[in-house]
Amino acid sequence: MQAEIITIGDEILIGQIIDTNSAFIGKALNSIGVSVYQITSIQDEKQHLLKAFAEAEQNADIIIITGGLGPTKDDITKHTLTEYFNDVLVQNNQVLQHVEQLFKKYINQPISDLNKQQALVPSKAKVLNNRFGTAPGMWLEKGNKTFISLPGVPYEMKALIDNEVLPNLAEKYKRPFILHKTILTYGLGESVVAERIEAIEDALPKHIKLAYLPTLGAVRLRLSGKGEDEAVLAKDIEIQVKKILPLIQDIFVGFQNNNEGLELIIAKQLAKMGKTLALAESCTGGKLSEKFTSHSGASAFYKGAVVSYATQTKIDVLDVSETLINQYSVVSEQVAKAMATNVRQKLKSDFAIATTGNAGPTKGDSDAEVGTVFIAIATKDKVQAFEFSMGNHRERVINKTVNKALELFQKEIFEN
Amino acid sequence: MQAEIITIGDEILIGQIIDTNSAFIGKALNSIGVSVYQITSIQDEKQHLLKAFAEAEQNADIIIITGGLGPTKDDITKHTLTEYFNDVLVQNNQVLQHVEQLFKKYINQPISDLNKQQALVPSKAKVLNNRFGTAPGMWLEKGNKTFISLPGVPYEMKALIDNEVLPNLAEKYKRPFILHKTILTYGLGESVVAERIEAIEDALPKHIKLAYLPTLGAVRLRLSGKGEDEAVLAKDIEIQVKKILPLIQDIFVGFQNNNEGLELIIAKQLAKMGKTLALAESCTGGKLSEKFTSHSGASAFYKGAVVSYATQTKIDVLDVSETLINQYSVVSEQVAKAMATNVRQKLKSDFAIATTGNAGPTKGDSDAEVGTVFIAIATKDKVQAFEFSMGNHRERVINKTVNKALELFQKEIFEN
């Protein structure tokens, strides 16, 4: 069972937006045993759409199309799909009513002519209700091939995938099971990890694949399997995991469920321990805090952060002593430790993480080399600081510091 | 002059990572007048690679391939490209030396056999030096068609695009100019904006296109043009901009250069005014702070933030009175105002923005409905708070609040 995802919109091709929809759809399809053969992003141009539809029909059983369903003139997906199916557009009264209700509720205005057209759908299409927007999803069949057209607005698309597309696909197609298991490691490079487990990789059974996913400071090992029996498949993957783990014990952090980040593993552990966390961020500028609070349930363990970006804010809000700063500089082990210790006390938390460094591109309030970063971790009993040289690329320095802080902190709490 | 971007890797198709590379490459190619015809993401599978190469050769003049160049067994791009060009792999001594140096510098180890293979390149390829990693970029020509293979690691790929690919393409191909101008509006929906400027859109000259890019609370209007003479093209686009602006005066925020966000427009304005900013974030959890600090130069105007996620942190760090919180609840106009006023004083800034709300999915420390948000803005002379109902989707509530806070604040400082 194979799918192709087609995302439509010039904004993707000129790089004005990043296409996040296809990753979401790929993951969703995988969860019900559908493999994605290809993702194709194309321009808002009729001939190109028709060509992509025809090619996808050759390659895949299920074709999921996003984008180009808005009410404005640059949106041509619905008309082109209607032409591809030799169909005509007809008014769907249920959709019309829904659009009218949305307008009444949110802007308290009667529906405009432009938006009335949102209720037109190909006569052969089954309508998929879009709770959150005016563009309906559309389901069209050609023999055993299914074309599904969805709006490009991410939250509208996501609700349609979860509530309409997956249940309908599961009903229509018989599918194998696809399982992934991802092992998270920190501290060694991709090639070193690969050499350690080479013998296991070479002896993998045919229905199981191994992939290496390196990111700053971390390597994820993903085992993927496909099979008819879910329990057997899970066992087959588990056998390989058990062979790999002893060889990477020193760098093993945990398993990554559903692609979750290290911050979620930490969040669960803190909630389990009944402990709380506070942050003092300088060079990471709020990014660590944003990571922890992007997931629901953060209030169970997260007290908050002081983003002491300016040196004066470290003094005014975190009570870091001016003498200490003058003596050791604002990017120093001593200041990192003071930030962590003080934020832990002020926010009355069990643990605290502090970052101070120079993300560049130019030297800021300190004389430290661009890329120099200190990370401190404070507990009830102790405070430790670690020094790193994170290179000279601002975005990377910030992201590497965030990853490194999470890595150091998870080691701290999992040892406890 | 058309390009196709091929990104390779199962991790993209199963949704384990989001493909950000193609957006970067699309934007970079556009900047030198090359249009992207299609972006194709495919599996690490030889036959699929060969098929994609052949199709891209039909569609485009320039084919840029990322991914699959690592040292591990799941990386097959180099071997497949060599087969596609009926070529053989030969050792490149310059690359070998570079890989050896990287190993010496970063892990102080001799090079492994696996990494030695990184120095093998097709004999017909011109090597593009990858300063940051072991996989070289490769440039292969077939008549007037150019295949360029780059590593998938974003910062390695980016440096190669900027330093090697763009200069070489600019030298080889004669290209037209492509210009985009993006108008940023806040406060009205896509269809309402479209109706206002319908007459102008209908009368656009053929070489200029208009696109609508709606995001939470904002609509961007992008005018794109293509032509032989850059100055003439810029003038043609300017004529359309001048026609549009009078019709959207009330919702016009500014022009978005190079896809920059509202936070950069604000940053520039604050730097120009010589004024400073502090934040008190609750429901946005550090995301506003992260936005401002993700760009270099933030230290010119940004003091920092207090992320007072827990109610107790609002009391302990921001000195919001417990009586006030008990009387009005932690999600209230009064508390938002107190947060903004107090953070401005504590961090000694000219302006402050505060957010407090309930992002959901469940009610937190307050009785406020999920989605209820207050945003307050404090200046030297006054503090104002605004109430919003942001829906019941956590991620959206956070993002809408961030956008709304930026919108309200930019109105404040541009009026001053």
Side-chain angles (χ1 to χ4, degrees):
Chain A
M1 191 57 47
Q2 300 226 92
E4 179 162 338
I5 301 168
I6 300 175
T7 60
I8 296 171
D10 292 350
E11 61 274 22
I12 298 170
L13 297 160
I14 68 168
Q16 190 159 28
I17 67 157
I18 288 167
D19 169 27
T20 56
N21 283 351
S22 41
F24 178 88
I25 296 170
K27 198 188 288 183
L29 290 174
N30 253 258
S31 74
I32 61 161
V34 176
S35 305
V36 176
Y37 171 80
Q38 181 166 308
I39 298 166
T40 310
S41 301
I42 58 175
Q43 301 164 330
D44 298 300
E45 198 271 310
K46 190 174 136 183
Q47 292 310 321
H48 200 169
L49 263 67
L50 292 172
K51 180 162 177 272
F53 293 163
E55 282 171 6
E57 195 183 324
Q58 297 281 321
N59 297 334
D61 310 289
I62 299 160
I63 297 97
I64 299 195
I65 304 155
T66 69
L69 295 184
T72 50
K73 287 181 208 300
D74 55 329
D75 294 304
I76 60 165
T77 301
K78 187 163 67 182
H79 289 92
T80 310
L81 199 57
T82 306
E83 181 176 327
Y84 186 74
F85 274 83
N86 294 316
D87 201 0
V88 289
L89 288 168
V90 294
Q91 183 171 297
N92 182 297
N93 288 326
Q94 202 188 333
V95 176
L96 185 62
Q97 226 174 17
H98 169 67
V99 176
E100 282 170 347
Q101 275 166 359
L102 282 180
F103 266 70
K104 207 173 154 191
K105 185 169 171 195
Y106 286 107
I107 52 173
N108 200 17
Q109 270 183 14
I111 182 173
S112 67
D113 281 350
L114 214 49
N115 278 291
K116 217 170 206 164
Q117 291 171 26
Q118 294 293 76
L120 296 175
V121 295
S123 74
K124 298 174 188 165
K126 184 166 105 183
V127 164
L128 309 174
N129 293 317
N130 177 2
R131 268 176 60 202
F132 296 119
T134 60
M138 291 169 286
W139 176 291
L140 285 149
E141 296 186 358
K142 221 180 192 181
N144 200 34
K145 308 266 175 172
T146 304
F147 282 72
I148 299 160
S149 165
L150 303 173
V153 180
Y155 70 94
E156 298 181 17
M157 176 280 296
K158 287 178 185 174
L160 276 161
I161 288 281
D162 288 339
N163 304 329
E164 303 280 344
V165 175
L166 296 187
N168 278 306
L169 287 178
E171 203 182 298
K172 175 163 180 179
Y173 294 98
K174 183 173 158 22
R175 298 141 290 118
F177 290 94
I178 299 177
L179 290 181
H180 304 287
K181 181 126 189 176
T182 302
I183 301 169
L184 193 55
T185 75
Y186 268 83
L188 283 183
E190 178 183 10
S191 62
V192 186
V193 179
E195 279 172 15
R196 284 208 192 168
I197 62 173
E198 192 174 9
I200 297 165
E201 186 175 2
D202 288 342
L204 280 178
K206 239 194 144 165
H207 65 302
I208 295 180
K209 280 179 84 173
L210 175 65
Y212 298 83
L213 305 163
T215 47
L216 301 170
V219 175
R220 289 175 289 172
L221 305 175
R222 189 192 62 233
L223 287 158
S224 306
K226 203 189 251 194
E228 296 304 320
D229 185 321
E230 191 174 10
V232 171
L233 185 60
K235 225 169 105 187
D236 289 350
I237 289 179
E238 214 43 56
I239 290 170
Q240 301 305 322
V241 171
K242 287 222 175 87
K243 286 189 200 163
I244 291 172
L245 286 188
L247 304 176
I248 56 165
Q249 248 174 336
D250 52 328
I251 54 168
F252 172 66
V253 174
F255 297 104
Q256 196 178 26
N257 298 319
N258 212 353
N259 209 14
E260 68 188 16
L262 197 45
E263 75 276 7
L264 256 181
I265 297 174
I266 291 170
K268 284 179 190 164
Q269 177 70 2
L270 286 175
K272 208 165 85 183
M273 294 161 76
K275 300 285 187 188
T276 56
L277 174 67
L279 306 172
E281 298 193 59
S282 184
C283 63
T284 48
K287 186 143 196 171
L288 258 178
S289 180
E290 191 264 324
K291 266 205 183 260
F292 283 114
T293 58
S294 66
H295 308 286
S296 62
S299 46
F301 69 92
Y302 187 56
K303 290 276 194 171
V306 174
V307 183
S308 53
Y309 204 69
T311 300
Q312 193 60 43
T313 303
K314 296 181 182 72
I315 300 166
D316 293 340
V317 184
L318 284 176
D319 292 340
V320 177
S321 107
E322 209 167 338
T323 323
L324 193 79
I325 293 174
N326 289 336
Q327 194 177 345
Y328 296 105
S329 115
V330 76
V331 178
S332 65
E333 184 190 328
Q334 290 77 4
V335 169
K337 283 182 174 174
M339 288 169 67
T341 307
N342 296 4
V343 85
R344 198 184 83 83
Q345 276 165 7
K346 281 196 175 288
L347 273 69
K348 299 174 185 155
S349 63
D350 297 298
F351 298 104
I353 309 172
T355 64
T356 181
N358 190 342
T362 54
K363 292 184 180 182
D365 280 353
S366 107
D367 278 341
E369 281 302 311
V370 172
T372 305
V373 169
F374 290 87
I375 299 171
I377 292 177
T379 68
K380 194 164 72 83
D381 311 312
K382 66 175 193 288
V383 59
Q384 284 177 285
F386 309 86
E387 180 177 0
F388 301 96
S389 175
M390 299 294 196
N392 60 6
H393 185 293
R394 182 179 179 85
E395 194 187 332
R396 282 183 67 208
V397 171
I398 295 173
N399 288 327
K400 279 169 97 167
T401 305
V402 166
N403 285 350
K404 195 42 111 175
L406 293 173
E407 176 195 348
L408 291 169
F409 184 61
Q410 75 81 22
K411 279 191 182 142
E412 176 62 41
I413 57 171
F414 278 88
E415 274 168 14
N416 275 351
Chain B
M1 190 58 45
Q2 299 226 95
E4 179 161 338
I5 301 168
I6 300 176
T7 61
I8 296 172
D10 292 350
E11 61 274 24
I12 298 170
L13 296 160
I14 68 169
Q16 191 160 26
I17 67 156
I18 287 167
D19 169 26
T20 57
N21 283 351
S22 42
F24 178 88
I25 297 170
K27 199 190 284 184
L29 290 174
N30 252 258
S31 75
I32 62 160
V34 175
S35 305
V36 176
Y37 171 80
Q38 182 166 307
I39 299 166
T40 310
S41 300
I42 59 175
Q43 301 165 332
D44 299 298
E45 199 272 309
K46 190 173 135 183
Q47 292 311 321
H48 200 168
L49 263 67
L50 292 172
K51 181 162 178 270
F53 293 163
E55 282 171 5
E57 195 183 325
Q58 296 282 320
N59 297 333
D61 311 288
I62 299 160
I63 298 95
I64 298 195
I65 303 155
T66 69
L69 295 185
T72 51
K73 288 183 206 299
D74 55 329
D75 294 304
I76 60 165
T77 302
K78 189 165 65 183
H79 289 92
T80 311
L81 199 56
T82 306
E83 179 175 331
Y84 186 74
F85 273 84
N86 295 315
D87 201 0
V88 289
L89 289 169
V90 294
Q91 183 172 296
N92 182 297
N93 288 327
Q94 201 188 333
V95 176
L96 184 61
Q97 227 175 17
H98 169 67
V99 176
E100 283 171 345
Q101 276 167 356
L102 281 180
F103 266 70
K104 208 172 153 193
K105 184 169 172 194
Y106 287 107
I107 52 176
N108 201 18
Q109 271 183 15
I111 182 171
S112 68
D113 281 350
L114 214 49
N115 278 290
K116 218 173 206 163
Q117 291 170 27
Q118 295 293 76
L120 296 175
V121 295
S123 75
K124 297 174 188 165
K126 183 167 105 183
V127 164
L128 309 175
N129 293 316
N130 177 3
R131 270 176 57 201
F132 296 119
T134 59
M138 291 169 285
W139 175 292
L140 285 150
E141 297 187 357
K142 220 181 192 182
N144 200 35
K145 309 265 175 174
T146 303
F147 282 72
I148 300 160
S149 166
L150 303 174
V153 180
Y155 70 93
E156 298 181 17
M157 175 280 297
K158 286 178 186 176
L160 277 161
I161 287 281
D162 288 338
N163 304 329
E164 302 282 344
V165 177
L166 296 187
N168 279 305
L169 286 178
E171 202 181 299
K172 175 165 178 177
Y173 293 98
K174 182 171 159 24
R175 299 140 290 118
F177 290 95
I178 298 177
L179 289 181
H180 303 287
K181 181 126 191 178
T182 301
I183 301 169
L184 192 57
T185 75
Y186 268 83
L188 283 183
E190 180 183 7
S191 63
V192 185
V193 179
E195 279 174 13
R196 283 206 192 168
I197 62 173
E198 192 175 9
I200 296 165
E201 187 175 1
D202 288 341
L204 280 179
K206 241 194 143 166
H207 66 299
I208 296 180
K209 280 178 84 176
L210 175 65
Y212 297 84
L213 305 163
T215 47
L216 301 170
V219 175
R220 290 174 289 171
L221 305 175
R222 189 192 62 232
L223 287 158
S224 305
K226 202 188 250 195
E228 294 305 319
D229 184 322
E230 191 174 11
V232 171
L233 185 60
K235 225 169 108 186
D236 288 351
I237 290 178
E238 216 41 57
I239 290 169
Q240 302 304 323
V241 171
K242 288 223 174 89
K243 285 188 200 165
I244 291 172
L245 285 188
L247 304 176
I248 55 165
Q249 248 174 337
D250 52 327
I251 54 170
F252 172 65
V253 174
F255 297 104
Q256 196 178 28
N257 299 319
N258 213 355
N259 210 15
E260 68 188 15
L262 196 45
E263 75 277 9
L264 256 181
I265 297 174
I266 290 170
K268 284 179 191 165
Q269 177 71 3
L270 286 175
K272 208 166 83 182
M273 292 161 78
K275 301 285 187 187
T276 57
L277 174 67
L279 306 172
E281 298 194 59
S282 183
C283 62
T284 49
K287 186 143 196 172
L288 257 179
S289 181
E290 190 263 327
K291 268 207 181 255
F292 283 114
T293 58
S294 66
H295 309 284
S296 62
S299 46
F301 68 91
Y302 187 56
K303 291 277 194 170
V306 174
V307 183
S308 53
Y309 204 67
T311 299
Q312 195 59 43
T313 303
K314 295 182 184 71
I315 299 165
D316 292 341
V317 184
L318 284 176
D319 293 339
V320 177
S321 108
E322 208 167 340
T323 323
L324 193 78
I325 292 174
N326 289 335
Q327 195 177 346
Y328 297 104
S329 117
V330 75
V331 177
S332 64
E333 183 189 329
Q334 290 78 4
V335 169
K337 282 182 176 175
M339 289 169 67
T341 306
N342 296 5
V343 86
R344 197 184 85 82
Q345 276 164 8
K346 279 194 178 291
L347 273 70
K348 300 175 185 155
S349 63
D350 297 299
F351 299 104
I353 309 172
T355 63
T356 181
N358 190 341
T362 54
K363 290 182 181 185
D365 280 353
S366 106
D367 278 341
E369 282 302 315
V370 170
T372 306
V373 170
F374 289 86
I375 300 171
I377 292 176
T379 67
K380 194 164 71 86
D381 311 311
K382 64 175 193 288
V383 57
Q384 285 177 285
F386 309 86
E387 181 176 0
F388 301 96
S389 176
M390 299 295 196
N392 59 6
H393 185 293
R394 183 179 178 85
E395 194 187 332
R396 282 183 68 208
V397 171
I398 295 173
N399 287 327
K400 279 169 96 168
T401 305
V402 166
N403 285 349
K404 195 43 113 174
L406 293 174
E407 176 194 348
L408 291 168
F409 184 61
Q410 75 81 21
K411 278 192 183 144
E412 176 63 42
I413 57 171
F414 278 88
E415 273 169 13
N416 277 349

PDB file of all heavy atoms in Angstrom, chain B residues 65 105 140 172 195 226 263 299 333 380 398 403:
ATOM      1  N   ILE B  65      20.443  17.896  -5.460  1.00  0.00           N
ATOM      2  CA  ILE B  65      20.095  16.712  -4.688  1.00  0.00           C
ATOM      3  C   ILE B  65      20.687  16.865  -3.294  1.00  0.00           C
ATOM      4  O   ILE B  65      21.865  17.192  -3.150  1.00  0.00           O
ATOM      5  CB  ILE B  65      20.713  15.462  -5.354  1.00  0.00           C
ATOM      6  CG1 ILE B  65      20.238  15.344  -6.803  1.00  0.00           C
ATOM      7  CG2 ILE B  65      20.393  14.195  -4.559  1.00  0.00           C
ATOM      8  CD1 ILE B  65      21.202  14.562  -7.694  1.00  0.00           C
ATOM      9  N   LYS B 105      41.057  17.272  14.433  1.00  0.00           N
ATOM     10  CA  LYS B 105      40.669  18.461  15.173  1.00  0.00           C
ATOM     11  C   LYS B 105      39.578  18.174  16.199  1.00  0.00           C
ATOM     12  O   LYS B 105      39.628  18.634  17.332  1.00  0.00           O
ATOM     13  CB  LYS B 105      40.192  19.527  14.183  1.00  0.00           C
ATOM     14  CG  LYS B 105      39.851  20.857  14.810  1.00  0.00           C
ATOM     15  CD  LYS B 105      39.642  21.939  13.763  1.00  0.00           C
ATOM     16  CE  LYS B 105      39.097  23.219  14.399  1.00  0.00           C
ATOM     17  NZ  LYS B 105      38.578  24.149  13.398  1.00  0.00           N
ATOM     18  N   LEU B 140      28.142  17.642 -11.365  1.00  0.00           N
ATOM     19  CA  LEU B 140      28.274  16.789 -12.547  1.00  0.00           C
ATOM     20  C   LEU B 140      27.469  17.379 -13.696  1.00  0.00           C
ATOM     21  O   LEU B 140      26.332  17.804 -13.510  1.00  0.00           O
ATOM     22  CB  LEU B 140      27.757  15.379 -12.238  1.00  0.00           C
ATOM     23  CG  LEU B 140      28.664  14.505 -11.373  1.00  0.00           C
ATOM     24  CD1 LEU B 140      27.847  13.528 -10.544  1.00  0.00           C
ATOM     25  CD2 LEU B 140      29.660  13.738 -12.256  1.00  0.00           C
ATOM     26  N   LYS B 172      27.793  29.942 -14.885  1.00  0.00           N
ATOM     27  CA  LYS B 172      27.486  29.054 -16.007  1.00  0.00           C
ATOM     28  C   LYS B 172      26.236  29.461 -16.792  1.00  0.00           C
ATOM     29  O   LYS B 172      26.198  29.330 -18.014  1.00  0.00           O
ATOM     30  CB  LYS B 172      27.333  27.620 -15.488  1.00  0.00           C
ATOM     31  CG  LYS B 172      26.890  26.655 -16.588  1.00  0.00           C
ATOM     32  CD  LYS B 172      27.062  25.202 -16.250  1.00  0.00           C
ATOM     33  CE  LYS B 172      26.528  24.375 -17.431  1.00  0.00           C
ATOM     34  NZ  LYS B 172      26.683  22.960 -17.272  1.00  0.00           N
ATOM     35  N   GLU B 195     -11.068  40.680  -1.752  1.00  0.00           N
ATOM     36  CA  GLU B 195     -12.160  41.456  -2.352  1.00  0.00           C
ATOM     37  C   GLU B 195     -11.803  42.929  -2.481  1.00  0.00           C
ATOM     38  O   GLU B 195     -12.168  43.597  -3.439  1.00  0.00           O
ATOM     39  CB  GLU B 195     -13.434  41.278  -1.533  1.00  0.00           C
ATOM     40  CG  GLU B 195     -14.110  39.968  -1.906  1.00  0.00           C
ATOM     41  CD  GLU B 195     -15.296  39.640  -1.037  1.00  0.00           C
ATOM     42  OE1 GLU B 195     -15.771  40.521  -0.295  1.00  0.00           O
ATOM     43  OE2 GLU B 195     -15.738  38.472  -1.083  1.00  0.00           O
ATOM     44  N   LYS B 226       9.103  38.422 -12.982  1.00  0.00           N
ATOM     45  CA  LYS B 226      10.260  37.854 -13.652  1.00  0.00           C
ATOM     46  C   LYS B 226      10.548  38.710 -14.878  1.00  0.00           C
ATOM     47  O   LYS B 226       9.620  39.083 -15.610  1.00  0.00           O
ATOM     48  CB  LYS B 226       9.919  36.424 -14.086  1.00  0.00           C
ATOM     49  CG  LYS B 226      11.129  35.534 -14.318  1.00  0.00           C
ATOM     50  CD  LYS B 226      10.711  34.213 -14.926  1.00  0.00           C
ATOM     51  CE  LYS B 226      10.864  33.063 -13.957  1.00  0.00           C
ATOM     52  NZ  LYS B 226      10.803  31.735 -14.585  1.00  0.00           N
ATOM     53  N   GLU B 263       8.952  40.444  14.207  1.00  0.00           N
ATOM     54  CA  GLU B 263       9.881  40.727  15.302  1.00  0.00           C
ATOM     55  C   GLU B 263      11.128  41.449  14.804  1.00  0.00           C
ATOM     56  O   GLU B 263      11.732  42.235  15.532  1.00  0.00           O
ATOM     57  CB  GLU B 263      10.261  39.434  16.062  1.00  0.00           C
ATOM     58  CG  GLU B 263      11.227  38.497  15.361  1.00  0.00           C
ATOM     59  CD  GLU B 263      10.547  37.568  14.368  1.00  0.00           C
ATOM     60  OE1 GLU B 263       9.353  37.760  14.084  1.00  0.00           O
ATOM     61  OE2 GLU B 263      11.231  36.664  13.848  1.00  0.00           O
ATOM     62  N   SER B 299      20.873  42.249  21.390  1.00  0.00           N
ATOM     63  CA  SER B 299      21.364  42.913  22.602  1.00  0.00           C
ATOM     64  C   SER B 299      21.276  44.439  22.494  1.00  0.00           C
ATOM     65  O   SER B 299      21.360  45.132  23.500  1.00  0.00           O
ATOM     66  CB  SER B 299      22.795  42.472  22.931  1.00  0.00           C
ATOM     67  OG  SER B 299      23.590  42.492  21.784  1.00  0.00           O
ATOM     68  N   GLU B 333      -7.104  40.813  33.043  1.00  0.00           N
ATOM     69  CA  GLU B 333      -6.561  42.097  32.594  1.00  0.00           C
ATOM     70  C   GLU B 333      -5.630  42.671  33.666  1.00  0.00           C
ATOM     71  O   GLU B 333      -4.534  43.145  33.361  1.00  0.00           O
ATOM     72  CB  GLU B 333      -7.748  43.045  32.364  1.00  0.00           C
ATOM     73  CG  GLU B 333      -7.358  44.397  31.818  1.00  0.00           C
ATOM     74  CD  GLU B 333      -8.552  45.356  31.838  1.00  0.00           C
ATOM     75  OE1 GLU B 333      -9.709  44.887  31.694  1.00  0.00           O
ATOM     76  OE2 GLU B 333      -8.307  46.555  32.029  1.00  0.00           O
ATOM     77  N   LYS B 380       6.385  54.037  29.290  1.00  0.00           N
ATOM     78  CA  LYS B 380       6.705  54.931  30.397  1.00  0.00           C
ATOM     79  C   LYS B 380       5.422  55.541  30.993  1.00  0.00           C
ATOM     80  O   LYS B 380       5.312  55.735  32.196  1.00  0.00           O
ATOM     81  CB  LYS B 380       7.633  56.046  29.866  1.00  0.00           C
ATOM     82  CG  LYS B 380       8.346  56.870  30.922  1.00  0.00           C
ATOM     83  CD  LYS B 380       9.502  57.652  30.317  1.00  0.00           C
ATOM     84  CE  LYS B 380       9.028  58.791  29.421  1.00  0.00           C
ATOM     85  NZ  LYS B 380       8.744  60.064  30.122  1.00  0.00           N
ATOM     86  N   ILE B 398      -0.786  29.423  21.459  1.00  0.00           N
ATOM     87  CA  ILE B 398       0.534  30.013  21.705  1.00  0.00           C
ATOM     88  C   ILE B 398       0.982  30.863  20.510  1.00  0.00           C
ATOM     89  O   ILE B 398       1.372  32.021  20.658  1.00  0.00           O
ATOM     90  CB  ILE B 398       1.575  28.902  22.017  1.00  0.00           C
ATOM     91  CG1 ILE B 398       1.212  28.193  23.331  1.00  0.00           C
ATOM     92  CG2 ILE B 398       2.988  29.483  22.091  1.00  0.00           C
ATOM     93  CD1 ILE B 398       2.067  26.971  23.649  1.00  0.00           C
ATOM     94  N   ASN B 403       1.856  36.142  17.733  1.00  0.00           N
ATOM     95  CA  ASN B 403       1.605  37.039  16.597  1.00  0.00           C
ATOM     96  C   ASN B 403       0.822  38.274  17.014  1.00  0.00           C
ATOM     97  O   ASN B 403       1.115  39.389  16.583  1.00  0.00           O
ATOM     98  CB  ASN B 403       0.821  36.302  15.497  1.00  0.00           C
ATOM     99  CG  ASN B 403       1.701  35.338  14.728  1.00  0.00           C
ATOM    100  OD1 ASN B 403       2.930  35.354  14.878  1.00  0.00           O
ATOM    101  ND2 ASN B 403       1.098  34.501  13.917  1.00  0.00           N
TER     102      ASN B 403
END
